[in-house]
């Protein structure tokens, strides 16, 4: 209490300019503190958003792209078989130009298939880096893709030997590793989507927490600002109102009034 009384006396002795200066300094420090707090909250929110993108969402997108590459490779395999069928029937048509075009188309399709293989591997590597589920799922995709590549190479060989019916059946055979691979990709994608849902729920919780904390801090700053403003205003206006009462009393002939604020060491005491 004694310390508070001393501080109160010291504050009363401050000049009006110093009171204004001190008030602006306090408000500046409060706003600077709020700015640091806001930056910290925005950084936390940015981290949550970055985690959402770099983990489940990117993984899900990568797995979907890998699945598209596998499915397109299956379609290319069937198209290559059709082109081999054209080269098989060519000797009976008497049109050698068609066979050349078919062979050129086969070469182009093989290059497209190789590009899709690289695309699949690139997206699988991206998924491997950010996948939050069981790592065995990604390992299984690698192993099954190797089986699919071997099965596809054998199917190409069968088609080149003009066993078109057998090659065509192989693409629809239930034992074709590609169907297992697509099913495994679906399972990994579902797991990634589940992770994405969990991450999204966690991010919503963090967002709500940040929102509540920001609102509370903002309300506290507003209250402090109003308290400082009102205290400053009253510290200036209250003495002036007292002076006004005394001056009016003097004008009415009341010369026995006590002169206020003689103990203050500022402009009010001088007045």
């Amino acid at each position: 209490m004694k310390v508070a009384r001393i501080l109160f006396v010291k504050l009363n002795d401050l000049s009006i300019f110093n009171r204004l200066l001190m008030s602006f300094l306090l408000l500046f420090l409060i706003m600077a503190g709020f700015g640091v707090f806001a930056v910290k909250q925005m950084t936390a929110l940015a981290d949550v958003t970055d985690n959402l993108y770099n983990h489940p969402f990117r993984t899900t997108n990568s797995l979907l792209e890998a699945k598209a590459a596998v499915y397109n490779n299956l379609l290319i395999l069937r198209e290559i078989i059709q082109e081999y069928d054209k080269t098989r029937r060519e000797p009976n048509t008497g049109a050698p130009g068609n066979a050349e075009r078919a062979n050129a188309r086969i070469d182009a399709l093989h290059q497209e298939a190789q590009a899709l293989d690289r695309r699949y591997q690139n997206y699988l590597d991206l998924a491997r880096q950010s996948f939050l589920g069981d790592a065995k799922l990604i390992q299984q995709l690698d192993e099954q893709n190797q089986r699919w590549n071997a099965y596809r190479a054998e199917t190409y060989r069968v088609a080149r030997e003009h066993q078109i019916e057998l090659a065509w059946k192989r693409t629809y055979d239930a034992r074709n590793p590609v169907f297992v691979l697509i099913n495994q990709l679906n399972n990994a994608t579902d797991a990634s989507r589940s992770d994405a849902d969990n991450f999204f729920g966690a991010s919503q919780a963090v967002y709500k927490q940040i929102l509540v904390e920001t609102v509370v801090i903002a309300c506290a700053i507003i209250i402090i600002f109003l308290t400082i403003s009102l205290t400053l205003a009253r510290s200036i206006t209250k003495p002036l109102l007292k002076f006004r009462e005394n001056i009016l009393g003097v004008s009415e002939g009341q010369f026995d009034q006590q002169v206020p604020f003689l103990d203050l060491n500022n402009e009010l005491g001088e007045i």
Side-chain angles (χ1 to χ4, degrees), residues 179-191:
F179 300 122
V180 177
L181 178 58
I182 291 174
N183 187 56
Q184 289 177 344
L185 283 166
N186 288 334
N187 292 337
T189 303
D190 291 341

Side-chain angles (χ1 to χ4, degrees), residues 45-55:
L45 190 59
D47 289 341
V48 171
T49 304
D50 186 61
N51 286 333
L52 277 172
Y53 173 76
N54 286 327
H55 292 289

Side-chain angles (χ1 to χ4, degrees), residues 61-180:
N61 181 67
S62 298
L63 291 172
L64 289 174
E65 291 289 348
K67 178 183 173 182
V70 170
Y71 186 75
N72 286 333
N73 246 333
L74 176 61
L75 297 180
I76 287 176
L77 173 60
R78 290 171 180 169
E79 189 173 351
I80 287 176
I81 293 172
Q82 291 175 337
E83 295 298 330
Y84 274 124
D85 189 35
K86 292 179 183 178
T87 63
R88 181 190 65 169
R89 291 183 284 111
E90 195 60 40
N92 300 322
T93 63
N98 291 335
E100 293 177 1
R101 284 193 293 271
N103 286 325
R105 178 62 179 160
I106 289 171
D107 291 339
L109 288 171
H110 275 300
Q111 292 177 5
E112 188 175 345
Q114 291 172 1
L116 285 171
D117 285 335
R118 292 191 296 270
R119 182 181 179 88
Y120 171 86
Q121 197 59 52
N122 289 338
Y123 277 112
L124 191 63
D125 289 341
L126 283 175
R128 193 194 319 275
Q129 295 170 8
S130 55
F131 189 65
L132 298 177
D134 190 351
K136 291 182 180 179
L137 289 176
I138 303 299
Q139 182 62 34
Q140 290 172 358
L141 291 175
D142 261 334
E143 295 171 355
Q144 191 63 26
N145 186 57
Q146 292 174 8
R147 298 187 188 98
W148 160 234
N149 287 336
Y151 188 91
R152 192 168 35 144
E154 177 62 18
T155 305
Y156 285 143
R157 184 193 65 78
V158 172
R160 280 195 303 272
E161 294 178 356
H162 298 304
Q163 301 180 49
I164 303 303
E165 290 78 9
L166 177 59
W168 191 256
K169 287 180 181 179
R170 284 176 62 86
T171 65
Y172 288 96
D173 195 329
R175 293 169 296 181
N176 188 339
V178 73
F179 300 122
V180 177

